[in-house]
């Protein structure tokens, strides 16, 4: 495994190539470095290599890392499953939450967000593959949830997020990502929303996501190495 700096450079090169090949502007797609299961030192090394935005899935692990990295003005994004009894620290220690998938969670995040902080940026997670075990709101329920989220004062609705089933099938993967884009575009038009974010694409499928309009890819193992099997 090459070091974190070399891996980050390789990921950025992959993103740049995908931007070029798909008529996207250079640097248009953002990179969220997913540091879950990796320690604070790994995050610090990525920071030193120029990475500023990091994603975490497990609350306690994230809070521990934040404490060790308090000297760095990192922008932290929460991307993991949300339990309603743990929304307060999520509401107040992160700049973004990508995994809002029900109204109760959104309401709690809005109520609990510190009044001295700017509104919390949120994405609604959509279950585009229709797998029963996956989190995310069903596509048919997206418009209603978006309408409710936009009414919450301490949240800023930024867009949609998905985690499609892993597949080597380009057409299948691109179809999932295209579905998320269409949901975003239709909701923007029909509800007069201004969602600017499509959080989609990971280490193995970022090129397909960028081809379908991703604005933020969430990349872990291609930067930090393989995680121990869950
Ligand atoms: C772990 C994780 C990622 C990163 O996955 P890789 O395959 O390691 O790039 C992206 N998004 C979410 C929601 C994750 O939990």
């Amino acid at each position: 495994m090459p070091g974190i700096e070399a891996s980050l450079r390789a990921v950025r090169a992959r993103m740049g190539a995908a931007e070029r090949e798909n008529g996207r502007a250079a640097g248009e797609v953002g990179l969220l470095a997913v540091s879950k299961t990796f320690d604070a030192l790994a995050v610090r090394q990525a920071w030193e290599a120029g990475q500023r935005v990091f994603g975490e899935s497990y609350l306690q692990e994230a809070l521990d890392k934040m404490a060790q990295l308090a000297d760095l003005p990192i922008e932290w994004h929460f991307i993991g499953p949300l339990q309603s009894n743990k929304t307060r620290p999520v509401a107040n220690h992160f700049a973004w939450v990508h995994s809002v998938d029900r109204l109760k969670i959104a309401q709690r995040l809005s109520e609990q967000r510190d009044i001295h902080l700017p509104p919390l940026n949120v994405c609604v997670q959509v279950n585009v593959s229709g797998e029963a075990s996956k989190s995310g709101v069903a596509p048919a329920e997206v418009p209603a949830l978006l309408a409710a989220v936009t009414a919450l004062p301490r949240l800023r609705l930024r867009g949609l997020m998905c985690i499609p089933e892993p597949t080597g099938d380009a057409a299948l993967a691109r179809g999932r990502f295209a579905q998320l884009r269409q949901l975003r575009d239709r909701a923007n038009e029909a509800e007069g929303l201004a969602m600017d974010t499509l959080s989609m694409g990971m280490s193995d499928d970022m090129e397909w996501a960028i081809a379908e309009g991703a604005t933020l890819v969430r990349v872990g193992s291609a930067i930090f190495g393989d995680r121990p099997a869950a």
Side-chain angles (χ1 to χ4, degrees):
M1 186 72 198
I4 286 172
E5 185 180 2
S7 300
L8 256 177
R9 216 178 309 122
V11 166
R12 292 202 173 279
R14 281 175 64 186
M15 293 170 64
E19 286 168 344
R20 272 193 306 283
E21 281 159 25
N22 294 286
R24 311 278 313 265
E28 184 188 351
V29 181
L31 173 58
L32 181 65
V34 177
S35 44
K36 66 173 182 223
T37 79
F38 293 94
D39 62 12
L41 178 61
V43 174
R44 192 173 290 279
Q45 287 170 344
W47 170 279
E48 281 162 6
Q51 181 64 28
R52 294 292 175 265
V53 189
F54 291 85
E56 291 282 340
S57 296
Y58 310 110
L59 178 60
Q60 192 53 54
E61 179 196 329
L63 296 176
D64 291 345
K65 254 177 260 185
M66 287 174 185
Q68 295 176 65
L69 296 163
D71 56 313
L72 303 180
I74 288 173
E75 182 178 290
W76 292 103
H77 292 216
F78 189 79
I79 62 174
L82 274 159
Q83 293 163 259
S84 59
N85 61 341
K86 293 193 179 150
T87 48
R88 188 178 297 279
V90 172
N92 291 306
H93 285 90
F94 291 84
W96 285 62
V97 174
H98 292 228
S99 42
V100 172
D101 64 355
R102 54 199 191 276
L103 182 57
K104 183 183 177 194
I105 292 286
Q107 285 169 333
R108 291 177 67 90
L109 290 172
S110 180
E111 282 162 16
Q112 294 169 341
R113 177 74 165 174
D114 188 316
I115 199 74
H116 301 104
L117 294 172
L120 181 64
N121 296 291
V122 298
C123 292
V124 163
Q125 182 175 351
V126 183
N127 183 357
V128 288
S129 343
E131 294 162 279
S133 61
K134 277 270 171 69
S135 36
V137 63
E141 291 160 24
V142 167
L145 181 55
L146 294 179
V149 169
T150 49
L152 296 171
R154 303 293 296 141
L155 302 187
R156 181 166 170 219
L157 176 64
R158 297 298 299 267
L160 302 181
M161 180 273 233
C162 70
I163 314 172
E165 70 274 53
T167 175
D169 180 338
L172 177 63
R174 289 189 59 157
R176 304 297 193 209
F177 295 134
Q179 189 189 358
L180 199 73
R181 169 168 42 83
Q182 287 157 10
L183 281 168
R184 194 259 327 243
D185 292 347
R186 285 192 201 123
N188 276 349
E189 199 171 333
E191 319 287 334
L193 305 178
M195 291 185 286
D196 59 8
T197 299
L198 287 173
S199 168
M200 58 188 196
M202 319 200 312
S203 292
D204 291 336
D205 57 12
M206 69 175 102
E207 282 86 357
W208 296 330
I210 290 170
E212 296 296 342
T215 65
L216 191 54
V217 292
R218 309 179 310 269
V219 179
S221 50
I223 297 171
F224 295 106
D226 289 333
R227 289 181 295 276

